Amino acid sequence: MELLKLFREVEAVVDKNYTILKDDAENLKEDLALEKLEDLEKQLADLDRDSKTLTIGIVGRVKAGKSSLLNALLFEGESILPKAATPMTASLTLLSYDDKISAEVEFYTQKDVKEIKKKHDEYLTKLNDLKEKYIEQFKNDEKELQSGNIEKKAEDMAKKELFEKYIHLQAAYEHYNDMENKGLNQNFSNNEVISADSLEELSKKLLDYVGSQGKYTPYTKSVRIKAPLESLKGVEIVDTPGINDPVVSREARTRELLKNADVVFILSNAGQFLSEEDLDLMDRITMKEGIRELFLVGSQVDLQLHGDEKIKSRGNLFTALENIKKNLADYTRRTIKDLKRNSPEIGDTYNQLIEESKERMFLSSGACYSLYKLFDNKQLWDDNMKIVWKNLTNNYPDFFSEDNKDIALENLKLLSGIVEIVEALEKVKERKQEILKKRSEEIMKAKSQSLRKYIDGLIKAVEERLTKIQSTEIKDLEKNIQELQKKTSNSGVVEHKYDELVEELIDDIKKISRKITMDISKSIYDLQNVGEGYKTEPKNEGRGGLLGFLADFLFGEKKVEENVRILKTGYVEAELVKSVNNQKISTEEKLEEAIKQWKVKLRRELTSTIREVVGDEFIDKDIMIKSITSIEKSEIDFPSLDDITIPSSLRRRGILKNEDEIEDYRSKLTDFLDDLESEFKDNLNEFSKTIKKNLGEKGSKVIKSIFDKYRIEIENLRKDIESKQFMIDKLNNTSKELKNLKKKVLLQEV
């Protein structure tokens, strides 16, 4: 194949000039997705085979319904594929055709286990650090100390924070613990092949390897299932783990398999459609390897049919489904457009979903498919199926009724979405040769273009180096070295300026803290008399004296009215909730504005300082801009204020008349506001320390990277002085060879 021949010739030139082209060649290959020669040979050989299997990828997070969908599509709804209990137990699963039923289980290597253990230990370190932080906070809170058991409360809060910020570490922690419980001394050096006479038997055997309670589940990396099913003929299905995998080797293999997929189904819960986690998983899909067909599946759609949707559709199932599909399609277009705008590097990967969002959208419900299959066997219904059926019959009685079985079955089948998805798959299979041919053409075109760009990049790198050497005499090179040394020695000036800017930000945060404290103090004053008043109530009063006593006895005590002090606690609570929420919103807005203004000032003043120190003639504007941008994009975790809640003792409703109760309520209100002031202050102080530490570390690395370029340049210039003429000859020859190869590639493209 001509393309491979040209690739070999280019690699021969690179190998011959390895010391010159090594870094540029590796970077260009990574940017252009050019594989190693042997991998490219295998891929192109696959493309030459007429019988190449159509690869279908399934992408979706855990609980999105991937297993239910595949069981419905391939196994008539039988639970052949067990559902994952956690993200870490979700194995990479491959399904393909074979005359016999079997499954090959691949286990984690010792290297993989070490990797999981490393993340497990990192989780424990972070957990202990956070726990200590919360314990220290509680030690300064008299109320918390009196409540007791601060260690458990601190641990619970630390676990909650880790779950929100480091879900992959928590998954690794749980995974390694599961391994320990099953016995870490087990050593799976070889894959295991499982044979079975039926799919049901295979399913039962697989429970040991991928079931939630399986004795080998923690060690299972992937499973390849083969079965003599008509639906698997000519296709291979890749069911991916529902997480951006903490296990690097499995994540790399998942991406490799998806890279070669011809069709990809993206499953997303219809109630949380295309969530941030879904978009993270979709990062596995790239277009560097040619075209592919993309489809979206909104799963668990039965849960979206009730409430407002039922009202809007007036109980018409078809209208409700059409509304849901339209809303999800519109949301898809907006989300993908935003994704492209914010991440231009994804290119045209998801254009299909923007242009044909409704046509490439399917709605599905695994529960409804189970109801459809087991309609006459209600004794086999689980609790979820019973709830789904009850909701459907209550909200859509014209479409779901035991009295009209045929209509109910037809609509359950409609909700399952299986017919539409099967039709889409069949159309894809029918177009298999067309898709593969087009994919083959696109890949060949893409590889040829990548090879040409690779050569162009190499020529550019060579000629840039050649121009630099030719245009600079040794004396000039030495002068440049001296200038660069002077510039790099002034890196401390930039560091000092950066530290000043960070301190200014910290001062702004402290000012915000003082302002919030003053606002809370004002709230304490404003709430002192809120809800208080007096109410006139009747009272019996004796007349006094002997005659009065006789009159009281004969006619009863006389009726009088008195003013009684009251406190409307509901009104106080409403004002308190309003005040607390206002403080939360105000704090977040002030912090966001302070960070925003600081980033503007950072770019302006740090750029100015770097230009003054380095000089425009030496400055690398791309590195400078990227470095400052990396600081601006640093993740800043704002202090969590959502945990601040009003205690139940202040949430009582009604009117207090007893003086002791009123004073007790007022006392608790004052204590809460005092605690609130302290909590806001502590949160902002901790935020100041964290942001100062994080920005300080980030700044040091970034500033070092800016000046590292000049240090490397100095070393390169010294090497140029030592071998100037030799390099000129070598580079000229290399440039000539690469240009000749480029001509061959251009001829080959024509």
Side-chain angles (χ1 to χ4, degrees):
M1 192 179 290
E2 186 65 23
L3 184 62
L4 279 174
K5 180 182 175 185
L6 289 170
F7 193 96
R8 289 192 190 95
E9 290 182 32
V10 174
E11 288 297 86
V13 174
V14 172
D15 290 341
K16 190 165 60 175
N17 300 277
Y18 188 70
T19 55
I20 303 171
L21 298 175
K22 174 192 172 188
D23 292 339
D24 292 303
E26 289 178 356
N27 292 334
L28 284 165
K29 278 185 179 179
E30 185 176 347
D31 291 342
L32 297 169
L34 272 174
E35 299 91 340
K36 294 178 181 177
L37 181 58
E38 56 269 26
D39 294 334
L40 183 61
E41 285 177 329
K42 182 179 182 302
Q43 188 178 12
L44 294 179
D46 286 341
L47 291 173
D48 284 339
R49 296 192 195 102
D50 292 334
S51 61
K52 180 182 181 294
T53 300
L54 187 76
T55 303
I56 301 171
I58 309 291
V59 174
R61 52 192 157 125
V62 171
K63 311 289 187 190
K66 299 196 302 311
S67 297
S68 298
L69 177 65
L70 288 174
N71 283 329
L73 289 174
L74 303 175
F75 308 116
E76 293 293 319
E78 296 294 328
S79 296
I80 303 301
L81 298 177
K83 298 176 183 178
T86 71
M88 286 302 297
T89 59
S91 298
L92 173 63
T93 306
L94 297 99
L95 301 105
S96 57
Y97 181 86
D98 195 72
D99 293 336
K100 295 181 180 179
I101 297 172
S102 68
E104 183 178 358
V105 180
E106 178 189 9
F107 298 106
Y108 286 113
T109 65
Q110 288 301 315
K111 182 180 178 182
D112 293 330
V113 175
K114 286 178 181 177
E115 191 179 325
I116 297 169
K117 172 69 163 58
K118 182 180 177 182
K119 289 182 171 64
H120 165 278
D121 294 345
E122 186 179 347
Y123 174 88
L124 286 178
T125 300
K126 287 184 181 295
L127 177 66
N128 290 330
D129 290 345
L130 284 171
K131 181 179 174 182
E132 289 300 318
K133 182 189 80 172
Y134 284 120
I135 288 175
E136 287 302 314
Q137 289 180 8
F138 293 155
K139 285 180 180 177
N140 297 323
D141 189 326
E142 190 65 31
K143 192 173 181 181
E144 289 290 349
L145 285 172
Q146 290 177 357
S147 68
N149 206 5
I150 63 173
E151 284 210 12
K152 185 179 184 308
K153 186 171 183 181
E155 184 171 339
D156 291 343
M157 291 179 71
K159 286 180 178 178
K160 181 182 177 185
E161 184 172 338
L162 281 173
F163 177 79
E164 292 170 350
K165 293 182 180 179
Y166 304 101
I167 182 64
H168 67 290
L169 291 183
Q170 182 177 353
Y173 169 76
E174 293 173 356
H175 190 179
Y176 190 76
N177 284 347
D178 202 5
M179 284 182 165
E180 283 190 314
N181 292 335
K182 301 292 185 184
L184 279 171
N185 58 338
Q186 300 196 44
N187 185 16
F188 301 99
S189 55
N190 299 312
N191 294 354
E192 186 163 337
V193 176
I194 303 168
S195 299
D197 294 327
S198 68
L199 288 171
E200 291 75 14
E201 182 187 351
L202 180 67
S203 177
K204 290 177 182 177
K205 289 184 176 181
L206 280 175
L207 288 174
D208 274 342
Y209 301 90
V210 290
S212 59
Q213 302 299 320
K215 57 183 176 181
Y216 306 125
T217 296
Y219 313 100
T220 301
K221 186 174 186 177
S222 69
V223 179
R224 178 180 287 277
I225 297 173
K226 296 181 180 180
L229 296 175
E230 193 66 28
S231 54
L232 286 174
K233 278 189 175 179
V235 301
E236 178 181 59
I237 294 176
V238 180
D239 180 16
T240 63
I243 189 171
N244 266 336
D245 211 326
V247 184
V248 174
S249 61
R250 189 169 67 175
E251 177 67 14
R253 186 166 174 210
T254 299
R255 288 179 179 273
E256 182 67 24
L257 288 166
L258 280 178
K259 182 179 72 175
N260 295 317
D262 305 294
V263 184
V264 178
F265 283 84
I266 302 165
L267 268 72
S268 179
N269 189 311
Q272 298 173 309
F273 199 66
L274 292 188
S275 67
E276 187 174 340
E277 186 178 344
D278 290 324
L279 295 177
D280 285 344
L281 287 171
M282 287 165 65
D283 174 60
R284 290 170 167 174
I285 306 168
T286 70
M287 293 294 281
K288 289 180 180 176
E289 299 303 317
I291 61 106
R292 77 233 9 252
E293 298 282 323
L294 293 179
F295 296 96
L296 279 169
V297 179
S299 62
Q300 300 176 29
V301 70
D302 58 279
L303 299 177
Q304 306 307 308
L305 291 169
H306 315 301
D308 290 344
E309 196 54 62
K310 180 211 168 184
I311 295 170
K312 283 190 288 185
S313 65
R314 297 181 179 179
N316 186 304
L317 178 67
F318 306 132
T319 303
L321 287 174
E322 182 62 26
N323 290 342
I324 293 170
K325 191 169 186 177
K326 181 180 182 302
N327 290 337
L328 294 184
D330 290 344
Y331 180 74
T332 297
R333 281 193 294 273
R334 293 196 305 272
T335 301
I336 301 299
K337 284 180 179 178
D338 288 343
L339 185 65
K340 284 191 68 172
R341 185 165 49 251
N342 298 326
S343 305
E345 67 274 6
I346 69 172
D348 298 331
T349 305
Y350 303 114
N351 278 9
Q352 289 177 340
L353 300 183
I354 295 175
E355 296 162 4
E356 306 171 38
S357 55
K358 195 170 181 181
E359 294 78 4
R360 291 182 174 274
M361 168 84 63
F362 304 106
L363 303 178
S364 77
S365 167
C368 287
Y369 188 75
S370 297
L371 287 169
Y372 170 76
K373 296 292 292 182
L374 299 173
F375 193 83
D376 294 326
N377 295 301
K378 294 182 175 56
Q379 70 276 11
L380 300 178
W381 290 12
D382 60 26
D383 290 341
N384 181 54
M385 292 166 65
K386 292 174 184 175
I387 292 170
V388 171
W389 177 251
K390 181 180 178 182
N391 287 336
L392 291 173
T393 53
N394 287 344
N395 290 300
Y396 298 89
D398 293 340
F399 298 86
F400 300 96
S401 168
E402 293 186 15
D403 296 334
N404 198 328
K405 175 182 174 182
D406 291 342
I407 290 178
L409 284 173
E410 183 180 343
N411 291 321
L412 286 171
K413 193 173 183 180
L414 172 68
L415 276 179
S416 75
I418 295 302
V419 173
E420 275 193 300
I421 296 171
V422 168
E423 286 177 355
L425 267 177
E426 289 304 317
K427 287 178 182 177
V428 167
K429 288 182 185 178
E430 288 170 9
R431 294 175 53 232
K432 172 183 171 183
Q433 293 306 320
E434 176 193 340
I435 291 173
L436 293 178
K437 181 182 177 184
K438 191 173 180 182
R439 177 166 166 76
S440 175
E441 291 170 353
E442 288 292 328
I443 288 181
M444 291 295 290
K445 181 180 176 182
K447 294 300 178 187
S448 181
Q449 289 174 347
S450 294
L451 182 58
R452 176 164 45 81
K453 290 176 182 177
Y454 180 48
I455 295 171
D456 282 338
L458 294 173
I459 292 172
K460 183 182 177 184
V462 168
E463 293 192 340
E464 282 179 352
R465 192 175 181 111
L466 186 59
T467 300
K468 186 188 298 181
I469 295 173
Q470 288 176 326
S471 63
T472 309
E473 295 296 332
I474 292 178
K475 188 182 293 185
D476 293 334
L477 292 173
E478 290 175 341
K479 182 180 177 182
N480 287 343
I481 289 174
Q482 291 173 358
E483 285 289 331
L484 286 170
Q485 286 175 331
K486 183 179 177 183
K487 302 303 180 187
T488 54
S489 66
N490 288 331
S491 62
V493 176
V494 180
E495 291 175 355
H496 180 70
K497 182 62 183 177
Y498 179 80
D499 290 341
E500 283 183 352
L501 290 168
V502 172
E503 285 299 331
E504 287 179 20
L505 175 60
I506 300 305
D507 288 340
D508 288 341
I509 294 171
K510 289 178 179 177
K511 288 175 185 176
I512 291 171
S513 179
R514 289 194 290 271
K515 177 66 170 62
I516 296 301
T517 301
M518 291 172 62
D519 290 345
I520 295 175
S521 297
K522 183 176 180 300
S523 297
I524 295 173
Y525 179 82
D526 292 343
L527 289 169
Q528 282 180 348
N529 297 310
V530 166
E532 282 206 21
Y534 288 86
K535 182 179 180 182
T536 302
E537 291 190 348
K539 174 185 176 183
N540 293 333
E541 186 178 89
R543 295 176 175 81
L546 181 59
L547 292 176
F549 175 76
L550 289 172
D552 292 342
F553 180 78
L554 294 171
F555 307 106
E557 294 179 329
K558 65 179 180 179
K559 304 293 184 181
V560 297
E561 293 184 342
E562 69 171 356
N563 287 330
V564 178
R565 182 188 176 197
I566 62 171
L567 178 63
K568 298 177 181 178
T569 57
Y571 186 76
V572 176
E573 182 196 354
E575 289 299 307
L576 182 58
V577 169
K578 179 180 175 183
S579 177
V580 171
N581 287 339
N582 286 343
Q583 292 301 336
K584 290 180 181 179
I585 293 169
S586 175
T587 301
E588 290 169 354
E589 289 177 348
K590 285 182 172 66
L591 287 174
E592 286 175 357
E593 183 60 24
I595 296 294
K596 179 181 176 183
Q597 294 299 326
W598 180 78
K599 288 180 177 179
V600 172
K601 189 173 184 180
L602 170 78
R603 176 170 286 271
R604 182 180 65 247
E605 296 194 15
L606 200 59
T607 299
S608 176
T609 302
I610 293 170
R611 292 180 67 180
E612 287 174 10
V613 168
V614 178
D616 286 343
E617 71 275 20
F618 287 103
I619 200 164
D620 188 319
K621 291 182 180 177
D622 287 340
I623 290 179
M624 181 181 72
I625 291 170
K626 286 180 183 177
S627 299
I628 294 175
T629 301
S630 73
I631 298 176
E632 291 175 336
K633 289 185 176 180
S634 298
E635 290 186 7
I636 296 177
D637 296 323
F638 288 96
S640 176
L641 304 175
D642 292 335
D643 292 336
I644 298 174
T645 56
I646 297 171
S648 58
S649 59
L650 297 179
R651 287 188 174 275
R652 46 190 302 190
R653 300 293 179 90
I655 298 175
L656 300 181
K657 299 178 183 179
N658 183 286
E659 283 288 334
D660 290 339
E661 287 185 339
I662 291 173
E663 290 304 320
D664 179 64
Y665 186 92
R666 284 290 182 200
S667 175
K668 289 176 179 176
L669 176 61
T670 302
D671 290 342
F672 169 71
L673 290 170
D674 288 337
D675 292 341
L676 180 66
E677 181 179 341
S678 298
E679 192 160 356
F680 268 80
K681 190 184 295 183
D682 290 342
N683 278 341
L684 289 173
N685 286 341
E686 186 63 30
F687 176 63
S688 296
K689 293 176 185 176
T690 302
I691 200 171
K692 183 175 181 179
K693 178 177 179 291
N694 292 346
L695 288 177
E697 291 173 352
K698 181 75 173 179
S700 296
K701 291 178 182 177
V702 166
I703 292 168
K704 182 179 181 296
S705 70
I706 292 173
F707 287 91
D708 275 350
K709 191 260 184 187
Y710 305 114
R711 296 185 182 98
I712 294 169
E713 189 68 21
I714 290 171
E715 186 61 31
N716 288 339
L717 289 171
R718 283 178 177 150
K719 291 178 181 178
D720 287 342
I721 292 173
E722 294 173 1
S723 55
K724 186 172 184 293
Q725 190 55 55
F726 173 79
M727 288 297 293
I728 288 174
D729 295 339
K730 191 174 181 66
L731 290 169
N732 274 324
N733 291 333
T734 302
S735 178
K736 193 180 296 183
E737 285 183 277
L738 290 170
K739 286 176 180 177
N740 287 334
L741 286 171
K742 181 182 175 181
K743 289 178 183 177
K744 291 183 181 180
V745 173
L746 288 170
L747 287 172
Q748 190 259 346
E749 287 181 0
V750 173

